[in-house]
Amino acid sequence: MLPILHSERLVLRPRVLGDLAQILAMDADPAVTRHVGGPPTDWAEYARRLAERIEARHPSGLGYWSFAARRAPEQFLGWASLVPYEGEVEIGWRLVPTVWGQGFATEAATRLLRHAFAELGLARVIATIAPGNDRSRRVAERAGMGFVGAGLYEGEPCLVYEALAASNAGGGA
């Protein structure tokens, strides 16, 4: 079971099947999914895969969180994740466009990195970001991650960022 995490402005709680409709609505916006292949073409299959991902079991402390503002905890703002990927732990995030540019992705990522290092004892967390996704690149950098080079994510080119426990001892938000 994932812990509920708090930051200055956010509540991050384990993602549940009840979040599925809000995630699907967010992912229907071409601006949201522009760097991850665009909106799905087979919504039933996409919903099925999302439900599987929501119900998947990950190692202790890893998984997907939905987040909301502390002042409006019922309003879905997006999700963030710490999940295993090819022998690493990868961080990710996605937000509804109405809150882009307000620092919520950086705040969620910073809180998850603190969880990864201080609470889980991980040594390294990576982010894989599509080339041209400048918003996500800036989130990674503001959260304390550094660029380490080009890579592949599921066969597609990506930029790889990393955060190391030693450089994140202060913890952030």
Side-chain angles (χ1 to χ4, degrees), residues 113 116-118 121-125 144 162-171:
L113 288 172
F117 300 130
L122 298 177
R124 179 177 191 244
V125 173
E162 74 174 359
L164 302 173
S167 60
N168 282 278

Side-chain angles (χ1 to χ4, degrees), residues 43-109:
W43 284 98
E45 174 62 15
Y46 186 66
R48 186 193 64 73
R49 285 195 339 256
L50 271 176
E52 281 180 4
R53 199 176 285 168
I54 289 169
E55 293 181 320
R57 298 290 168 236
H58 297 286
S60 182
L62 300 180
Y64 289 86
W65 287 260
S66 288
F67 60 87
R70 282 186 173 208
R71 61 176 163 44
E74 70 289 345
Q75 182 185 4
F76 175 85
L77 299 180
W79 59 260
S81 64
L82 281 174
V83 293
Y85 181 71
E86 294 190 356
E88 303 269 9
V89 172
E90 180 186 30
I91 189 170
W93 48 81
R94 192 171 296 170
L95 282 79
V96 296
T98 56
V99 297
W100 287 1
Q102 297 179 38
F104 291 125
T106 300
E107 190 169 326

Side-chain angles (χ1 to χ4, degrees), residues 107-155:
E107 190 169 326
T110 300
R111 181 59 184 97
L112 284 189
L113 288 172
R114 187 171 87 209
H115 171 69
F117 300 130
E119 298 160 31
L120 299 180
L122 298 177
R124 179 177 191 244
V125 173
I126 64 163
T128 55
I129 299 171
N133 189 345
D134 293 334
R135 286 182 180 273
S136 279
R137 186 185 45 74
R138 285 190 299 272
V139 167
E141 291 168 355
R142 284 190 213 114
M145 302 184 85
F147 178 68
V148 293
L152 292 175
Y153 182 84
E154 297 183 0

